[in-house]
């Protein structure tokens, strides 16, 4: 969207660009299953894979090369609470929600139209990036005051994967910060005694994994769990 606004070049486009930069936050994640659930013949919800042959997210060697400084960095696995997404109300003027990126072969169509909708502005990307399976979190203040609340991701880190070349001192530092912390899983179950659906919270420890070359499969990675 910022590139398109630069191309328009008029004063209104400059003001819109400034507003986006000050009032809107986008955070990018990787998720190999679709965020919207599907329903099977028995009415059960399930999440379809975006691509049938996708590996686990942390096994994608291209992502390690492009976004973790060629394996010197880390990969963080999150498990967000059910109420992580927000919609504007009287007390908190904020909207925050997830949406999968839609990949297209014709990005030029947006420039030609001279107009763009919310989905295409923030959730469209060239087909060349499809291997990322990107999921974006969009957060903004719909009233345009410019002071959105910070996003509370407490108790959401489920695991950390250390790259092949991640320095030992950095690994030890991160382990020391997160060791002993928990992540919370919220499950909805039917309570026979109460005859209603109840929310149950389960605590799980943060796990740590070292990425290694899989010697059995050329060019593949594997994650080895660390004991801390």
């Amino acid at each position: 969207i910022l590139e398109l606004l630069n191309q328009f070049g008029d004063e209104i486009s400059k003001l819109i660009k400034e507003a986006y930069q000050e009032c809107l936050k986008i955070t990018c994640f990787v998720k190999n299953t679709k965020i919207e659930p599907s329903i099977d013949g028995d009415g059960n919800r399930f999440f379809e894979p975006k691509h049938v042959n996708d590996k686990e997210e942390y096994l994608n060697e291209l992502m390690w090369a492009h976004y973790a400084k060629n394996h010197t960095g880390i990969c963080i696995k999150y498990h967000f609470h059910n109420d992580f997404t927000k919609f504007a109300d009287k007390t908190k003027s904020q909207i925050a929600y997830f949406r999968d990126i839609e990949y297209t072969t014709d990005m030029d169509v947006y420039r030609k139209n001279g107009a763009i909708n919310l989905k295409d502005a923030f959730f469209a990307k060239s087909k060349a990036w499809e291997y990322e399976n990107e999921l974006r979190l969009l957060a903004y203040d719909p009233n345009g005051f410019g002071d959105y609340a910070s996003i509370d991701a407490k108790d959401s880190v489920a695991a950390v994967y250390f790259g092949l070349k991640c320095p030992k001192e950095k690994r030890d530092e991160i382990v020391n910060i997160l060791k002993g912390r928990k992540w919370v899983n919220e499950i909805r179950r039917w309570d026979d005694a109460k005859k209603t659906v109840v929310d149950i919270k389960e605590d799980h420890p943060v796990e740590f994994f070292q990425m290694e070359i899989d010697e059995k499969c050329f060019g593949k990675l594997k994650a080895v769990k660390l004991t801390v």
Side-chain angles (χ1 to χ4, degrees):
I1 183 61
L2 299 180
E3 182 181 346
L4 289 172
L5 290 170
N6 283 337
Q7 290 182 12
F8 294 150
D10 58 276
E11 289 301 315
I12 294 178
S13 296
K14 292 179 181 178
L15 290 173
I16 294 174
K17 177 182 177 181
E18 183 178 337
Y20 279 147
Q21 291 176 320
E22 292 182 358
C23 305
L24 184 141
K25 182 187 296 183
I26 296 176
T27 307
C28 305
F29 301 91
V30 177
K31 185 176 175 61
N32 289 356
T33 56
K34 297 177 182 178
I35 192 170
E36 293 293 335
S38 300
I39 308 296
D40 64 17
D42 298 323
N44 300 313
R45 297 183 355 142
F46 68 98
F47 294 91
E48 293 184 81
K50 292 178 180 175
H51 304 98
V52 177
N53 296 320
D54 277 342
K55 314 164 188 174
E56 293 289 340
E57 289 87 348
Y58 55 84
L59 294 177
N60 189 328
E61 57 267 32
L62 287 178
M63 295 299 286
W64 279 105
H66 293 166
Y67 295 104
K69 293 186 177 181
N70 195 26
H71 273 282
T72 60
I74 65 174
C75 168
I76 302 175
K77 179 180 180 180
Y78 293 95
H79 184 97
F80 294 111
H81 305 161
N82 292 333
D83 60 353
F84 191 76
T85 54
K86 301 181 181 68
F87 294 94
D89 57 34
K90 294 180 180 178
T91 58
K92 291 184 178 180
S93 180
Q94 185 188 30
I95 289 178
Y97 65 91
F98 289 98
R99 186 164 185 163
D100 286 322
I101 289 293
E102 294 188 19
Y103 298 94
T104 176
T105 56
D106 186 12
M107 296 293 290
D108 198 46
V109 66
Y110 305 119
R111 181 181 61 82
K112 292 177 180 177
N113 288 342
I116 194 168
N117 59 37
L118 188 71
K119 176 180 71 67
D120 292 335
F122 301 109
F123 300 100
K125 206 168 181 179
S126 169
K127 195 82 170 176
W129 300 98
E130 193 169 22
Y131 72 90
E132 294 181 343
N133 286 334
E134 186 176 341
L135 171 74
R136 285 185 182 172
L137 172 67
L138 183 70
Y140 63 96
D141 172 13
N143 295 317
F145 294 131
D147 53 349
Y148 47 74
S150 61
I151 298 171
D152 185 8
K154 184 181 179 181
D155 301 328
S156 297
V157 175
V160 179
Y161 299 82
F162 299 99
L164 294 172
K165 304 174 185 176
C166 183
K168 183 180 183 303
E169 60 271 20
K170 290 297 183 183
R171 187 184 72 185
D172 293 344
E173 180 182 356
I174 292 169
V175 169
N176 288 332
I177 291 172
L178 293 174
K179 186 168 60 177
R181 297 210 186 177
K182 308 284 187 179
W183 61 276
V184 179
N185 187 27
E186 298 175 339
I187 302 174
R188 288 195 166 184
R189 291 177 179 166
W190 176 260
D191 190 315
D192 287 331
K194 297 180 179 179
K195 303 299 181 185
T196 186
V197 175
V198 295
D199 291 326
I200 300 174
K201 292 185 177 182
E202 297 178 344
D203 292 340
H204 302 272
V206 178
E207 295 182 311
F208 304 94
F209 297 85
Q210 176 63 52
M211 300 306 299
E212 295 182 0
I213 296 293
D214 189 344
E215 296 177 354
K216 295 180 179 179
C217 300
F218 180 76
K220 305 295 184 182
L221 300 171
K222 65 179 180 179
V224 178
K225 187 174 181 180
L226 299 176
T227 302
V228 297

